[in-house]
Each structure stands twice: as C-alpha cells, then as structure tokens.
Amino acid sequence: MKHTDIKELFANSQQYKEKIVTVCGWVRTARDSKSISFVELNDGTCLRNLQLIVDKENAKDMPAVSVGTALNVTGNFVPSERNGFEVIVTAMEVLGECPADYPLQKKFHTLEYLRTIPHLRPRTRFFEAVFAVRNELSFAIHKYFHSHGYKYMHTPIITGSDCEGAGEMFRVTTQPWKTDCKTEQEYFAGDFFGTKAGLTVSGQLEGEIAAMGLGKIYTFGPTFRAEHSNTTRHAAEFWQIEPEVCFADLHDIIEIAEDFIKFIIKEVIDNCPEELEFFNERSEKGLLDKLHGVINSEFVKLKYTDAVEILKKSGKEFKYPVDWGCDLQTEHERYLTEEYYKKPVFVTDYPADIKAFYMKQNSDGKTVAATDLLVPGIGEIIGCSEREADLKMLESAMLKRNMPLDAYREYLDTRKFGSVPHSGFGLGFERILMYITGVQNIRDTLLYPRTVGSL
Ligand code: 4AD
Ligand code: MG
C-alpha cells in the first residue's frame, strides 16, 4: 500500500510541504465543528499524531470516522499554526471500521485498566512510547557490544542446569500428567530428553563456555523464573543481557558495566527525545535531569561490610533487621541508593553464603568477588561477579551446596583445561527500561507480562 510514514513527514516536512501525500493509521481523536472535522491520526511510527482537516462541504461522500478506525488518507500537507503541519484531506478510505464498543474511547486511561486489555495497549500513546524506548534500548545494547568486539551468542532456552541454584526453574516436559512411574528418576527417564529439563534462569553457564574460546561474548535473550514474588519488579519471563569477559577481574567488569550503562542511557536520550519528554511529564517528574545526572557522574563503589554499617547507623526502622551476613532486602537497597547516596551504587564483596556457587572466593574466606548494581526507585538492576577460576575452589563451593559435580562436568572442564580469570554480569532488561522511562511496574514494560498467577 503506497503511503508515507508520519514520522517521515514530520522529519522532512519542508520536502513534503504543499505536496499531496498519502498516510495510513488509526484515528486517535475525532471532533466535529459545523463545517469541519478534525481527526488526529497515528500510525505507530512516532508519538506525534498527524492532524487531518476534513472539510464537510467537499466531503459529502467521505465516511464519518470514529476513534480507532483505520484509515488510508490522501491530502495536501500544509503548514499550520497550531500543529506545525496538517493534512487537508481530499480522499479517504476506511481500511477497518471501529464500532462504539472499542475500549479506548477516552483520551486518558489508567495503566491498571490498560493491563486488562493487553491486546489493545500498543494503540495508546503510553505504550507506543514504552515500546519505542524498548526498541531503541535493544539496539543500543547490541551497538555497544558490537562496537567493542563482543560476539553475540544464542544460548539454549531449554536446559538441565539451574545456574542460580535457587530452584526457581519452570519444568519442560511432554510426560502425561498421569504415568505408572514409581520414582522421579523413572518419570524423567521416560520424558522427552530422557532427563529432567527446564527453562533457563540465566544464559551465564553456557556463556562462560563460549567465552572460554571466543574471549568476550554477550547474550541477550529471554529468561524464566518461577519465583513467587508478586512485586512491581518481578516477571516470570523477562529478558537478560549477560556479557562474559575473559582476562577480566571484578574491577574490570565493574568498569565495563558502568561504561555500558552510561552508553545505552545516552543512546536513548539522543534517539528518543519525544518519548523521554513524555515520560518526564507522565511517569516521573525530573526523569531527564536524573538520566543526565547518571551519565555525568561516577557510580558509588561500596563494600557490603560498609553498607551494613551505613544501614545500622541510619537510625531507620527496617522491616528486616540488618546484620553482617544477611541478604540486602529491597528496603535496604533503596535506602542506600535513594536516601544515602542518591545515585547508582555498586555494592561489592558480599558474604559467600548468600551468593551463587560460581563466584570467586576472596582470600578472607568469607566473601566473594561479586557486586550488585543498585539504582534509585528500583533497587538491583545488575548481578555481577568475577567467576571462580580455580577448579578445586569451585568444586568445594559446589559440594558445600550439595550440587552434583557430575552434572556440571563440562562446566568444570573449563577450569581444568586452560582456566583464565573471567567475569560477567546480568542486566535485567525490563528493570533498566523501568529506570530509563520512570515506568513503575514491570507489567507495563512487556507486551504480554507473565507473572505469578497471570498468563
Ligand atoms: O542477579 P541475577 O539472578 O544474576 C544472574 O542471573 C547471573 N547469572 C548474571 C550473570 O552474572 N551473568 O539476575 C540478573 C538480573 C537482576 O539483577 C535483575 O535485574 C534481573 O536479572 N532479574 C529480574 N528481572 C525481572 N524479573 C525477575 N524475576 C528478575 N530476576 C532477576
Ligand atoms: Mg541478583
């Protein structure tokens, strides 16, 4: 269907000025005066609507349009005082009618309401902006790694190993719900893969395998967690970016993570100015100042032990009391990053007992070379560590956690044959998207959010 994108018309308006153009889109608003109809058309290519002017005198055989109607319109693209440019319509074809029970009649709908109609959300300004930033952010991520010589790896989605060891894997099975199996072993032996399988909680272990030959790699793919955390920051299906870098220690990977975060935020600032203006108004006042502040300042680096001291001295009544060895809860993370430092904070060197098996053990025998990046408003957006590169140390950490070494033989081989210091991190894609847009609920960053109790 020959037509011009609305984005293209606005971007090169001088070139189209006083020319006949054809556009397609959906009616966002329609209002009538005595002799003229004003229609705002949106085609999804940019946030801005194109105003159509329909002179009723010349439009006797043109159909009346209602909100949501899909149109193909031809007319003169002319300067206008109010809108910059508008189209004086000469011909109009209805591509798809939209009856009066279309749920998006109002100009403004709450996000809670829109969650009940996910199939129509992309037709709203809010979600058009969310998905535009989501798109730009994805591209920026690839751009960063590609220009720094990383290889993009596609790690398996179906896997047998629980990388994070938290037992939050969704099971993948083709077994009928009733079998004659007497044992779990027998049940899984008869299953599709002949063994227990699940959806990946992280591409890291396979990412490490790839990095141990390719030097530096990244993954960017879906991740699944059967966590029963019904919060505004947890989804059962989310996307994760996981670089894995050989010949890099914790200090090096922190530097990479900070540089990377600043780069992708800058790309969105540069390429989505209208969307960020919109979010600055609609979801977080001061959003733009916050983002500029982040790219122009150094992130805090704080040892876990010092974080515990700060929290203890804060005089705050936390729901979960703080003591050395405890996992930091959201309330603690938010205090550090929102009240105490008011900027992103890398908390480093956590107690080994609260972290995953693969992290490098520090010489104090108590902590690991790991860091979480915490940001105001959200808490953790990155989980990061130097990996344990010593075979014996790694095996002992696994045995301590009752992990079956045999199931991880190939992973352990990377430490047996030419082991090198290496590090990596996992960035939650929807979490950084929330941070950049000020969107408060992870359900409003995904086309179809999957959360506990809701598919
Ligand atoms: O801290 P996590 O569990 O780290 C890992 O998976 C490591 N294997 C990463 C690595 O070193 N390669 O998860 C990483 C990030 C978190 O910081 C958070 O941003 C996000 O993934 N995340 C979630 N995002 C949305 N919903 C959930 N349920 C999430 N769980 C983790
Ligand atoms: Mg984590």
Side-chain angles (χ1 to χ4, degrees):
M1 197 172 272
K2 215 168 152 27
H3 70 285
T4 307
D5 289 346
I6 293 176
K7 182 182 179 131
E8 162 67 13
L9 288 182
F10 284 130
N12 296 303
S13 49
Q14 290 309 318
Q15 182 190 323
Y16 294 98
K17 188 174 157 182
E18 309 290 359
K19 299 246 163 70
I20 297 296
V21 299
T22 297
V23 290
C24 296
W26 294 268
V27 174
R28 280 282 170 84
T29 64
R31 131 184 107 73
D32 269 335
S33 79
K34 226 190 211 148
S35 55
I36 294 179
S37 297
F38 300 93
V39 174
E40 300 242 349
L41 196 73
N42 189 285
D43 69 353
T45 60
C46 66
L47 267 195
R48 276 172 80 180
N49 298 330
L50 178 64
Q51 171 136 298
L52 310 176
I53 309 288
V54 187
D55 184 339
K56 287 184 177 166
E57 205 36 49
N58 309 331
K60 294 227 170 57
D61 39 334
M62 284 191 213
V65 296
S66 55
V67 174
T69 304
L71 297 178
N72 175 325
V73 174
T74 299
N76 195 2
F77 187 67
V78 296
S80 108
E81 223 161 76
R82 212 173 65 87
N83 302 299
F85 279 89
E86 59 196 21
V87 168
I88 312 291
V89 177
T90 53
M92 183 157 76
E93 181 197 348
V94 172
L95 299 174
E97 286 174 7
C98 193
D101 58 349
Y102 179 54
L104 297 173
Q105 295 291 342
K106 289 191 292 181
K107 199 151 187 177
F108 182 85
H109 296 275
T110 64
L111 295 173
E112 289 76 12
Y113 171 66
L114 293 176
R115 263 172 238 147
T116 66
I117 45 167
H119 59 302
L120 296 172
R121 292 198 303 185
R123 298 192 193 189
T124 63
R125 200 168 158 75
F126 189 93
F127 284 91
E128 206 183 333
V130 166
F131 294 128
V133 175
R134 192 176 169 112
N135 172 62
E136 197 60 44
L137 190 60
S138 309
F139 191 68
I141 287 162
H142 287 300
K143 190 169 165 187
Y144 181 87
F145 289 120
H146 189 256
S147 65
H148 286 79
Y150 288 67
K151 294 205 171 58
Y152 175 31
M153 293 302 300
H154 305 101
T155 49
I157 285 172
I158 300 174
T159 176
S161 56
D162 178 0
C163 169
E164 291 308 301
E168 288 160 345
M169 286 174 82
F170 285 100
R171 194 181 292 164
V172 173
T173 180
T174 52
Q175 284 279 48
W177 69 280
K178 251 185 176 167
T179 65
D180 299 329
C181 298
K182 302 275 176 305
T183 63
E184 201 180 285
Q185 229 171 354
E186 197 188 335
Y187 178 90
F188 290 119
D191 208 344
F192 187 88
F193 296 105
T195 181
K196 191 172 174 176
L199 296 178
T200 183
V201 297
S202 161
Q204 177 193 325
L205 301 188
E206 295 89 348
E208 281 188 61
I209 303 284
M212 292 298 271
L214 301 171
K216 45 187 186 180
I217 64 96
Y218 72 105
T219 71
F220 184 1
T223 308
F224 307 87
R225 300 218 180 154
E227 282 175 282
H228 284 266
S229 309
N230 199 358
T231 78
T232 54
R233 301 169 302 116
H234 287 88
E237 177 176 337
F238 62 99
W239 284 60
Q240 213 186 149
I241 298 99
E242 297 185 278
E244 197 63 41
V245 190
C246 286
F247 321 112
D249 61 16
L250 184 68
H251 177 79
D252 298 321
I253 196 75
I254 287 178
E255 224 171 74
I256 294 168
E258 182 166 343
D259 187 49
F260 164 68
I261 293 288
K262 288 177 177 171
F263 175 87
I264 59 177
I265 292 179
K266 173 113 191 351
E267 285 287 305
V268 175
I269 290 176
D270 290 347
N271 296 311
C272 296
E274 288 185 16
E275 286 80 5
L276 291 187
E277 275 299 341
F278 170 78
F279 287 122
N280 196 54
E281 286 293 312
R282 171 77 200 269
S283 40
E284 184 179 330
K285 295 268 176 277
L287 176 73
L288 285 169
D289 288 344
K290 172 186 92 176
L291 296 178
H292 280 110
V294 167
I295 58 176
N296 291 317
S297 71
E298 204 182 314
F299 297 179
V300 176
K301 283 94 191 171
L302 173 72
K303 285 203 171 8
Y304 168 89
T305 303
D306 298 330
V308 168
E309 282 313 303
I310 291 173
L311 290 164
K312 279 183 159 174
K313 286 188 191 138
S314 68
K316 284 248 163 193
E317 283 267 338
F318 292 116
K319 188 166 157 229
Y320 297 89
V322 188
D323 239 324
W324 200 95
C326 75
D327 204 357
L328 297 185
Q329 302 294 326
T330 305
E331 56 175 346
H332 309 134
E333 297 179 342
R334 294 188 72 159
Y335 173 78
L336 290 171
T337 183
E338 280 166 32
E339 293 184 48
Y340 195 84
Y341 288 109
K342 298 187 168 55
K343 57 173 166 167
V345 181
F346 282 105
V347 176
T348 67
D349 303 284
Y350 283 85
D353 289 346
I354 57 169
K355 288 290 185 189
F357 73 94
Y358 51 72
M359 298 177 175
K360 183 183 165 67
Q361 298 157 60
N362 287 332
S363 54
D364 62 12
K366 292 192 305 192
T367 61
V368 283
T371 184
D372 282 356
L373 176 61
L374 316 178
V375 298
I378 296 180
E380 178 192 338
I381 61 166
I382 280 182
C384 171
S385 62
E386 181 171 344
R387 317 309 190 189
E388 182 54 77
D390 181 273
L391 180 62
K392 288 270 159 312
M393 297 282 277
L394 182 57
E395 283 180 341
S396 81
M398 292 171 78
L399 290 172
K400 231 175 124 181
R401 290 167 174 81
N402 294 318
M403 292 172 68
L405 296 191
D406 269 349
Y408 292 83
R409 230 359 107 195
E410 294 181 5
Y411 183 70
L412 290 166
D413 269 358
T414 59
R415 277 43 171 191
K416 182 175 168 193
F417 305 122
S419 186
V420 300
H422 63 290
S423 302
F425 66 81
L427 169 68
F429 184 59
E430 287 74 19
R431 298 242 178 121
I432 181 79
L433 186 59
M434 290 169 73
Y435 184 61
I436 293 178
T437 56
V439 169
Q440 310 265 313
N441 194 318
I442 198 163
R443 291 166 181 78
D444 301 328
T445 62
L446 287 148
L447 185 58
Y448 269 101
R450 271 76 176 90
T451 52
V452 56
S454 157
L455 185 72

